[in-house]
Amino acid sequence: MPGSPTDAQPPGVHPVAVAPVDYLWFVDLALGGMARMVEDLGDELANRRPSFPEANTPYAILTHCLGVMEFWGGATVAGRSIERDRAAEFTASGPVGPLLERAAEAQQRLADDLVGLDAWSEPANVGRNPSDPVPYDETKGAVLLHILEELFQHLGHMEITRDALRVRP
């Protein structure tokens, strides 16, 4: 795949490096933004679907992001054994308080998963698909970028969802 970490680099090109504390700052930015929105919406609106087709509730979006962090950070970066029901993430509902506690725990768990990280090592538990090559099946550093990709993508989804829920009569 062009741009893959395993591609030969032109002369003079050096890897991009980021300290775990800096990486986690960005994770906290995205996850914290989602947590604040869910908290501001409260139990009723956080569990409501907006009226557009196939939309998810803010509660489900945050639950899914916690699943993303657990699988990609825990299972593929740290090599922890985890159980994940991805489909159930999208139907999850409940009170906001415990979800916010789970989000804070997930932030700490991801920080713990980065201890001793070798970003160039091969991730565990990632199935390779030759017809759809992606860099996050090659290095743990690319997995971490994938986590950020997912978190910021879903932060945007949640912002749109929040706005739609607030204008709904």
Side-chain angles (χ1 to χ4, degrees), residues 30-116:
L31 196 62
M34 285 187 273
R36 281 187 300 282
M37 279 187 271
V38 166
E39 183 175 32
D40 290 345
L41 289 168
D43 291 341
E44 183 184 342
L45 284 180
N47 285 286
R48 184 179 296 166
R49 290 182 189 278
S51 59
F52 36 90
E54 298 182 40
N56 292 301
T57 68
Y59 190 102
I61 294 169
L62 182 51
T63 299
H64 171 64
C65 287
L66 301 181
V68 165
M69 291 170 61
E70 182 70 2
F71 176 75
W72 291 102
T76 70
V77 171
R80 284 189 290 107
S81 177
I82 67 153
E83 290 184 30
R84 180 181 185 198
D85 184 349
R86 187 177 183 278
E89 294 166 9
F90 296 101
T91 60
S93 64
V96 166
L99 179 62
L100 298 176
E101 290 172 12
R102 287 184 17 234
E105 291 165 2
Q107 285 174 290
Q108 182 57 55
R109 201 165 32 256
L110 183 60
D112 294 343
D113 288 340
L114 298 186
V115 172

